[in-house]
Amino acid sequence: MPTHRRRKAAAVALSTVAVTAALTGTAAPRASALTGAAEAPAGATAPVLDWKDCTHQGALPGQQCATLPVPLDYRDPGGRQLGLAVTRLRSDRPQARRGTLLVIPGGPGGSGVQRLTSKGPDLARELAGAYDLVSLDPRGVGGSATASCGLAEEDRHLVTLRSWPGPDGSTAENVARSRRVAEACAAHGGPELRSFTTANEVRDIDRLRQALGERKLSAWGTSYGTYVGAVYAQRFPRHTDRWVLDSSGDPDPSRVARGWLANMSVGADDRFPDFAAWAADPARDAEGLRLAAHPEDVRPLVLEVAARLDREPRPSNVPGVPLTGARLLQALQTSLYGNSFAPVARLLRAAQDPAAVPVLTPDVSGPMPDTDATVTVGVICNDVSWPKDVGAYERAAAADRSAHPLTAGMPANITPCAFWKDRPVEQPTRITADGPSNVLMVQNLRDPSTPYAGALKMREALGGRARLVTVDAGGHGSYLGTGNACGDRAVTRFLTTGQRPEADTYCGR
């Protein structure tokens, strides 16, 4: 959609926010014994953190790590405890410090320890000592307590854990694999796997807040972390200070996770023109990576090469792992997240050269560790019940494949959640306009993972609590990720001074 039409559509959608909030008057659900009290019980003792210098690879100077004990089951707070890896970078300007900023990773399956390690220096520079920076590895991730489904290696590749249909669009193999993964997780995951939920991550964050001795937290959540952050702000509104949601998905509780996955087909279409323009730029001639004379010729080329690879897979640099159409499209999807298009262009070039050996990157060629695959599947299947009708998935994948060939039906296809053995312990939280007006959303217009249309749904749900900064950029993750000075400035100003735009605003290129 051209930029001027996007602005108009956004304005129309957002003009309904105040009306919707006024008409519905929706209130946040009350906490219960099942969901956990919104406050620590009277007389409860906050956990103690024993901070030590971090020892993981790439740890920053001054970065500290500790283990946070959390209940396996918050309905039995005195029962079995799990250990979560937490980390912090203390402000180097105590006189400027105003609080603690929580960095909430994406995923499900993203590591907060690694996220802080990679983004800590940029955050520290931008925020000029205004915060201690903290994060955690959620349950199932990194240095925290993990679980294992015992999945076969062939079921842990990204192109198999995600249900890419067969070359002819068939989903039979996807159905069999999804059933096999669900059965393995039921047999081997145990109570640890069953505890991997967004609701428990939110409770764990509040337990970290108590351990830090903070009455309120500020936060920067990205991708899935925006949903975690929104749920925290709904359940614990009195403990939120300045709240940034970067790259949001639709929070509709009936489509948690399933809707995010389905929206990826639209996201790929939104982002692909940026790749096409890059791949047709004469500047690529010097690199040997120009794929077409005109941007409009790149998409047909990609789809033709993918179809040919589906018919005749090519041996790659990884023994036993050929380059197929699905792997090519998965490599494309990965490249659209950031601004490094050269690897997928080289892959396309190699696929067209009978003498070349395509070079697959590890994310496309290799299996992920079993614990990583377990948490990735576990959270989305534990959070909400998914439809069980196998035929409906087959029809949805076929329709999506026709409408959005760049993702070949994968986002609408069946997942292990269709066969998950355990029902959700609780219902997803509905995000509403009830709460303090202290949320700043920032969103790229051309996000391949959490597309702009989904972010508008989050904006509508939050109503008067939020302001939205729309950034005319592509890729997944806006703040300190696209180089857009206007967007970065808006977030930094909010976190350091509390000033938000008076209304939703737009940052051009």
Side-chain angles (χ1 to χ4, degrees):
M1 182 185 295
T3 299
H4 71 278
R5 290 177 60 196
R6 283 188 182 275
R7 291 185 199 169
K8 182 177 180 181
V12 170
L14 294 175
S15 69
T16 66
V17 169
V19 175
T20 301
L23 289 176
T24 60
T26 310
R30 292 184 178 273
S32 68
L34 184 64
T35 60
E39 306 288 346
T45 302
V48 175
L49 297 174
D50 182 17
W51 294 105
K52 300 182 184 302
D53 289 342
C54 294
T55 58
H56 62 271
Q57 185 174 6
L60 301 169
Q63 187 175 5
Q64 296 179 307
C65 289
T67 299
L68 173 73
V70 299
L72 172 66
D73 186 341
Y74 275 90
R75 294 169 296 183
D76 181 19
R80 182 181 165 196
Q81 304 289 297
L82 301 178
L84 303 187
V86 299
T87 187
R88 73 177 178 184
L89 281 169
R90 305 191 77 171
S91 168
D92 59 359
R93 295 177 59 195
Q95 70 280 7
R97 183 187 180 277
R98 65 166 309 275
T100 294
L101 178 76
L102 173 71
V103 176
I104 311 177
S111 165
V113 173
Q114 293 299 330
R115 180 73 171 164
L116 186 58
T117 301
S118 65
K119 288 295 186 179
D122 290 341
L123 276 174
R125 183 190 67 250
E126 283 289 312
L127 302 180
Y131 296 94
D132 291 341
L133 307 175
V134 302
S135 194
L136 57 77
D137 281 353
R139 299 175 186 225
V141 177
S144 294
T146 60
S148 172
C149 288
L151 302 181
E153 180 176 309
E154 61 267 23
D155 293 339
R156 292 187 272 113
H157 288 249
L158 196 53
V159 293
T160 54
L161 200 62
R162 289 181 173 178
S163 288
W164 288 89
D168 60 352
S170 168
T171 63
E173 187 175 344
N174 306 133
V175 172
R177 176 175 291 109
S178 293
R179 182 179 282 112
R180 184 166 67 242
V181 168
E183 290 172 350
C185 289
H188 305 295
E192 293 85 0
L193 173 58
R194 290 192 290 275
S195 81
F196 296 170
T197 66
T198 299
N200 277 339
E201 182 172 348
V202 164
R203 296 183 184 104
D204 294 343
I205 287 172
D206 201 61
R207 191 165 172 84
L208 175 59
R209 177 193 63 79
Q210 297 167 38
L212 294 169
E214 296 283 7
R215 187 173 64 88
K216 291 185 175 183
L217 293 173
S218 292
W220 172 38
T222 307
S223 191
Y224 165 68
T226 65
Y227 179 66
V228 175
V231 173
Y232 185 93
Q234 192 70 44
R235 291 192 173 195
F236 299 99
R238 296 199 303 123
H239 295 309
T240 61
D241 187 7
R242 297 172 184 172
W243 221 246
V244 176
L245 305 182
D246 180 345
S247 307
S248 300
D250 182 352
D252 180 351
S254 69
R255 288 174 56 79
V256 165
R258 185 164 58 99
W260 306 335
L261 184 62
N263 284 347
M264 290 171 66
S265 55
V266 174
D269 287 345
D270 286 349
R271 175 64 163 147
F272 186 81
D274 292 339
F275 171 71
W278 178 93
D281 190 328
R284 304 284 85 77
D285 283 331
E287 306 160 340
L289 296 179
R290 192 178 184 191
L291 300 178
H294 307 286
E296 59 267 26
D297 296 329
V298 176
R299 180 184 170 101
L301 171 67
V302 169
L303 295 176
E304 191 277 327
V305 172
R308 190 189 323 144
L309 289 170
D310 275 336
R311 294 190 300 269
E312 300 176 8
R314 289 279 304 277
S316 76
N317 62 313
V318 181
V321 182
L323 174 60
T324 62
R327 288 187 192 275
L328 175 68
L329 293 180
Q330 179 57 63
L332 172 65
Q333 172 123 35
T334 300
S335 75
L336 297 180
Y337 276 54
N339 291 302
S340 179
F341 295 144
V344 73
R346 292 191 187 97
L347 201 58
L348 281 157
R349 277 291 193 203
Q352 295 174 284
D353 182 355
V357 177
V359 176
L360 302 180
T361 52
D363 60 301
V364 176
S365 65
M368 64 177 69
D370 188 58
T371 53
D372 290 357
T374 296
V375 69
T376 298
V377 172
V379 173
I380 64 172
C381 297
N382 287 332
D383 266 4
V384 65
S385 292
W386 289 51
K388 310 297 183 186
D389 186 344
V390 172
Y393 285 105
E394 182 178 13
R395 292 188 293 273
D400 203 60
R401 181 183 180 91
S402 176
H404 308 283
L406 288 173
T407 46
M410 177 272 292
N413 203 359
I414 199 164
T415 73
C417 304
F419 303 104
W420 208 244
K421 305 301 182 182
D422 296 303
R423 293 183 60 81
V425 173
E426 56 195 290
Q427 294 300 309
T429 298
R430 180 173 293 280
I431 306 305
T432 76
D434 186 66
S437 183
N438 62 354
V439 179
L440 182 68
M441 294 177 59
V442 60
Q443 183 76 28
N444 291 338
L445 270 176
R446 300 178 300 283
D447 187 319
S449 180
T450 53
Y452 192 66
L456 290 180
K457 296 291 188 181
M458 177 71 86
R459 175 67 184 89
E460 183 177 1
L462 288 167
R465 300 177 68 182
R467 302 288 185 274
L468 171 64
V469 176
T470 297
V471 178
D472 189 356
H476 187 49
S478 186
Y479 184 52
L480 305 181
T482 66
N484 185 285
C486 169
D488 288 352
R489 192 162 50 243
V491 175
T492 298
R493 182 187 302 116
F494 172 58
L495 289 175
T496 55
T497 71
Q499 295 179 8
R500 294 184 307 179
E502 293 185 3
D504 295 338
T505 190
Y506 171 83
C507 286
R509 299 190 187 194

